[in-house]
Amino acid sequence: MGEKYRLLVINPGSTSTKIAVFDDEKAIFEETLRHSTEELSKYDKVYDQYKFRKDIILEILNKNNIELKSLDAIVGRGGLLKPIEGGTYAVNEKMLKDLKIGVQGEHASNLGGIIANEIAKIIDKPAYIVDPVVVDEMEDIARISGMPEIERRSIVHALNQKAVARRHSKSKNKDYEDINLIVAHLGGGISVGAHRKGKIVDVNNALDGEGPFSPERSGGLPVGDLVKLCYSGKYSEDEMKKKIKGNGGLVSYLNTNDAREVGEMIKKGDKEAELVYNAMAYQIAKEIGSCAAVLKGEVDGIILTGGIAYDKEFTKWIEERVKFISDVYIYPGEDELMALAEGGLRVLRGEEKAKEY
């Protein structure tokens, strides 16, 4: 066995900060720090919250007798930076500046690198971020939409997609950089990525209207009818945006965005719930099929991950339609803290070099 490493991992969300301490791949401490609206409303900008959140983290570590000087590195969730390729990045001044101004928007994840850096400075250890949501490895051909004013963009659950792709590759004694995979992240948003030799070369924009519908997003829609609806006078721009993201998908048909509840409805014999839920699986299978075309049929495995992958009936519906392409593997849930730790460990162990932003 080589050297052991201890990492602090920080994943800031809009109303909470999840932290964990890992000894190698083993979490020895994990905590979700919740922040009330009242506490956060004191701050005008997301950036202004960093000291408040950092101090709580330091307090909790101290309370649990975790000494800062025992840490080898701090890993934060990557935020809305400029588009970059996947990997583990060392936090540098340029990155801190872009996180502070919110170069692609304000989001709590922007605080990940900032807080990691602040704590790392105290003990003179490195700070990293791993596979942020802005990972963009799309090929030029995939960016062409069919309308010059609109370019297809990579918005993807990169952290979880890449973590399970790497984990799976390892289980097959292969390098992620040597194989082709299709990874479907099934959560509140659904992203299906074509991974060619370690890069996500194409993916649906899971945020606001491409690919399969999801528990709360409409996915790609018949575009002529969408235009008519936009100009029908019934809805404002904001209302239309909400219909696409937030009030679309399952929730628009079945009044719940909780896939588990839909499963219960089906068990009780609700035929509409079964049709709509099955249609979501059908659309995911179609998206997997289109990724198979991107990879020219050279697919070493299809991975289903995210919260909905716990539903065996649902994953079976998808598998029945796509197993002719390749074997289907299921990695339910999304362990973001573990994914961040793994990214830091790869650099500390010299398996890959930290990239520069």
Side-chain angles (χ1 to χ4, degrees):
M1 280 298 285
E3 200 179 336
K4 276 180 92 75
Y5 292 103
R6 174 172 284 190
L7 298 98
L8 167 64
V9 174
I10 302 165
N11 184 1
S14 47
T15 58
S16 67
T17 308
K18 290 180 181 163
I19 63 167
V21 175
F22 282 82
D23 280 350
D24 289 336
E25 279 86 357
K26 188 174 188 298
I28 56 161
F29 171 75
E30 206 171 309
E31 185 93 48
T32 299
L33 313 169
R34 308 220 176 264
H35 314 304
S36 70
T37 320
E38 202 181 351
E39 285 174 312
L40 297 180
S41 63
K42 295 176 197 159
Y43 305 100
D44 290 340
K45 283 191 151 66
V46 169
Y47 172 74
D48 302 334
Q49 301 171 12
Y50 87 84
K51 189 178 182 307
F52 159 73
R53 294 204 195 209
K54 179 194 81 172
D55 291 346
I56 297 177
I57 294 169
L58 294 175
E59 198 181 304
I60 290 287
L61 293 175
N62 187 27
K63 222 182 249 177
N64 288 277
N65 302 316
I66 291 162
E67 289 192 35
L68 283 188
K69 63 175 189 285
S70 72
L71 300 168
D72 295 297
I74 324 289
V75 185
R77 178 74 191 265
L80 296 175
L81 293 157
K82 289 175 183 143
I84 50 177
E85 62 174 29
T88 298
Y89 286 76
V91 177
N92 61 15
E93 284 309 315
K94 203 167 153 198
M95 182 189 292
L96 291 168
K97 183 172 160 253
D98 281 356
L99 290 171
K100 181 179 176 177
I101 60 172
V103 68
Q104 284 220 74
E106 285 212 9
H107 190 266
S109 60
N110 290 359
L111 296 167
I114 294 166
I115 298 169
N117 181 63
E118 288 290 319
I119 296 174
K121 276 196 315 206
I122 302 170
I123 50 171
D124 199 21
K125 288 284 161 68
Y128 302 112
I129 64 159
V130 181
D131 289 328
V133 289
V134 294
V135 164
D136 183 347
E137 301 167 332
M138 263 163 75
E139 296 176 333
D140 288 345
I141 197 167
R143 297 181 194 280
I144 305 293
S145 71
M147 190 181 280
E149 296 87 344
I150 297 172
E151 185 177 83
R152 291 191 64 243
R153 291 187 300 153
S154 172
I155 295 182
V156 54
H157 301 91
L159 183 63
N160 187 44
Q161 280 215 19
K162 288 205 171 239
V164 292
R166 284 193 180 101
R167 232 169 269 162
H168 175 73
S169 307
K170 208 172 184 177
S171 78
K172 297 288 179 195
N173 294 316
K174 298 256 173 58
D175 281 342
Y176 170 51
E177 288 72 23
D178 291 337
I179 64 174
N180 293 344
L181 297 166
I182 297 169
V183 184
H185 174 101
L186 315 176
I190 291 175
S191 60
V192 183
H195 295 237
R196 180 189 290 132
K197 311 260 184 284
K199 290 198 181 335
I200 305 174
V201 293
D202 201 349
V203 65
N204 61 301
N205 173 346
L207 185 67
D208 55 8
E210 239 196 347
F213 69 82
S214 81
E216 51 186 39
R217 295 172 200 171
S218 69
L221 296 164
V223 71
D225 293 328
L226 179 64
V227 170
K228 270 189 199 153
L229 205 55
C230 289
Y231 287 94
S232 66
K234 288 185 194 168
Y235 305 104
S236 67
E237 184 182 344
D238 282 348
E239 283 168 332
M240 282 307 300
K241 280 184 176 163
K242 199 78 180 138
K243 281 177 86 63
I244 290 167
K245 180 189 163 201
N247 293 338
L250 288 184
V251 73
S252 64
Y253 287 97
L254 305 172
N255 295 318
T256 176
N257 61 4
D258 187 334
R260 290 165 302 191
E261 271 182 43
V262 177
E264 288 306 311
M265 289 158 81
I266 294 168
K267 274 184 198 151
K268 289 179 183 148
D270 186 326
K271 287 295 174 216
E272 194 205 353
E274 186 171 6
L275 177 64
V276 171
Y277 204 36
N278 207 325
M280 188 164 93
Y282 172 85
Q283 289 197 3
I284 292 161
K286 275 173 73 173
E287 195 70 23
I288 290 169
S290 71
C291 284
V294 168
L295 298 172
K296 298 179 179 170
E298 292 165 16
V299 182
D300 297 298
I302 295 166
I303 295 173
L304 306 180
T305 182
I308 303 174
Y310 282 111
D311 186 332
K312 290 186 173 63
E313 186 66 17
F314 189 79
T315 55
K316 192 181 89 190
W317 288 340
I318 298 171
E319 185 171 2
E320 284 168 353
R321 293 186 184 277
V322 301
K323 64 181 180 207
F324 76 94
I325 298 168
S326 186
D327 291 339
V328 176
Y329 303 91
I330 296 168
Y331 290 78
E334 57 175 313
D335 194 343
E336 290 179 332
L337 295 172
M338 170 66 110
L340 292 168
E342 287 169 342
L345 286 166
R346 283 194 298 277
V347 169
L348 292 174
R349 290 173 180 157
E351 292 167 18
E352 64 182 60
K353 268 175 79 93
K355 293 182 175 170
E356 197 173 327
Y357 178 71

